[in-house]
Amino acid sequence: MTPAKHISIRNLDLWYHKSQALHDVHLNIECNKVTAFIGPSGCGKSTLLRCLNRMNDRIPNCHIDGDILLDDKNIYDADIDVVQLRTRVGMVFQKPNPFPKSIYENVAYAPRIHGLVGDGAPMDTLVEESLKRAGLWKEVKDKLQEPGTALSGGQQQRLCIARTIAVKPEIILMDEPCSALDPIATAKIEELIDELKKEFTIIIVTHSMQQAARVSDNTAFFYMGKLIEFGNTKAIFTQPKQQQTEDYITGRFG
């Protein structure tokens, strides 16, 4: 049986002005799985990630050809509401970026402006649930009115994850979410990713092949803007089909 395809990328090309950054990418992302994008710096993995919630729209002279289908609807169609798209496809960035607000308000802000729940008990419940799912509730439940920026780096990143899941997305994009964190905080985020995939489809860009091997179900290897190989993570790391993949994984380049 063919696995469910939540995101289907077809014939995707992307240019920054006259420089082509992605070349004819074809990729199907499965529901409720963790998909890792790996490859050397500048290979296109973060560029592709930003295509999935149209963050590249903000970059001048960025031009995209091809289709990205979210449940069979092209997210680049003219009738797509980009704000609505970004509630369905949330993003966690490389560096933790909590709002300069209280821990509570960091989580409550987006659900409030999107009108998902009212203030009072419904919002309290949503904030608590989101912090619990991000593995942070026990650490912050007695200091919800303290600033989110006062938390440690690892806690700030889990707060950003709580903020993302509070609007109930279907997909979570993570752009090197552990690169600014120490090993203990990284381990907590990796445990969290494993837990979150029960509810969300997760796509993670990582420079760490060890991390990709630990957390992902499927791995896509990119080189110079091209998708070289995609498949089950264990197979990619133990029996790659492409020589370029094997050379990268074994440290011959990159």
Side-chain angles (χ1 to χ4, degrees):
M1 191 169 78
T2 304
K5 291 191 278 286
H6 205 89
I7 301 174
S8 189
I9 301 166
R10 291 279 176 269
N11 306 102
L12 192 75
D13 296 298
L14 181 142
W15 291 264
Y16 293 123
H17 197 48
K18 294 180 181 178
S19 174
Q20 190 166 358
L22 293 173
H23 300 260
D24 197 28
V25 176
H26 291 253
L27 191 59
N28 291 322
I29 308 285
E30 292 182 61
C31 289
N32 297 105
K33 301 273 184 166
V34 179
T35 299
F37 292 174
I38 65 169
S41 294
C43 69
K45 52 191 188 295
S46 289
T47 293
L48 180 59
L49 192 78
R50 290 194 301 269
C51 289
L52 301 177
N53 69 347
R54 293 185 50 173
M55 290 289 284
N56 288 321
D57 288 11
R58 303 178 180 194
I59 299 174
N61 299 314
C62 179
H63 173 69
I64 293 172
D65 282 341
D67 299 323
I68 298 178
L69 305 178
L70 178 53
D71 292 338
D72 299 321
K73 173 69 173 172
N74 186 5
I75 67 170
Y76 282 88
D77 282 352
D79 63 344
I80 289 289
D81 181 335
V82 178
V83 173
Q84 189 63 35
L85 171 69
R86 289 180 187 145
T87 64
R88 295 181 69 191
V89 186
M91 189 148 189
V92 177
F93 294 92
Q94 183 172 356
K95 189 178 178 189
N97 59 342
F99 299 142
K101 298 174 180 289
S102 69
I103 293 167
Y104 183 99
E105 281 301 317
N106 262 273
V107 182
Y109 181 75
R112 183 182 295 121
I113 64 169
H114 288 294
L116 298 182
V117 295
D119 281 323
M123 186 66 80
D124 293 347
T125 299
L126 179 63
V127 169
E128 181 176 340
E129 284 177 356
S130 301
L131 289 167
K132 281 180 176 175
R133 287 153 86 191
L136 192 59
W137 174 251
K138 289 181 181 176
E139 295 163 57
V140 303
K141 63 181 180 180
D142 296 322
K143 46 186 178 182
L144 293 177
Q145 299 310 316
E146 294 182 17
T149 50
L151 296 171
S152 71
Q155 289 174 322
Q156 285 187 24
Q157 194 62 300
R158 281 182 284 147
L159 178 61
C160 292
I161 293 171
R163 186 178 72 192
T164 299
I165 62 182
V167 294
K168 305 189 187 310
E170 299 159 40
I171 298 153
I172 300 175
L173 311 177
M174 296 185 168
D175 193 358
E176 295 189 61
C178 302
S179 65
L181 306 181
D182 62 58
I184 293 172
T186 294
K188 287 187 176 180
I189 297 289
E190 290 182 0
E191 287 171 20
L192 179 56
I193 289 169
D194 193 54
E195 191 65 29
L196 289 174
K197 76 176 182 182
K198 296 171 186 173
E199 295 180 66
F200 307 99
T201 299
I202 297 174
I203 305 166
I204 179 172
V205 165
T206 177
H207 266 90
S208 166
M209 285 183 284
Q210 293 85 358
Q211 182 171 72
R214 286 192 299 265
V215 305
S216 70
D217 301 289
N218 298 310
T219 295
F221 168 59
F222 292 87
Y223 183 64
M224 295 185 73
K226 296 178 181 177
L227 174 61
I228 305 301
E229 188 166 353
F230 175 67
N232 172 271
T233 295
K234 186 175 180 182
I236 290 281
F237 280 93
T238 58
Q239 296 176 303
K241 294 176 181 174
Q242 303 297 325
Q243 187 64 47
Q244 280 176 303
T245 312
E246 184 173 338
D247 288 349
Y248 182 69
I249 287 168
T250 55
R252 292 193 188 117
F253 78 90

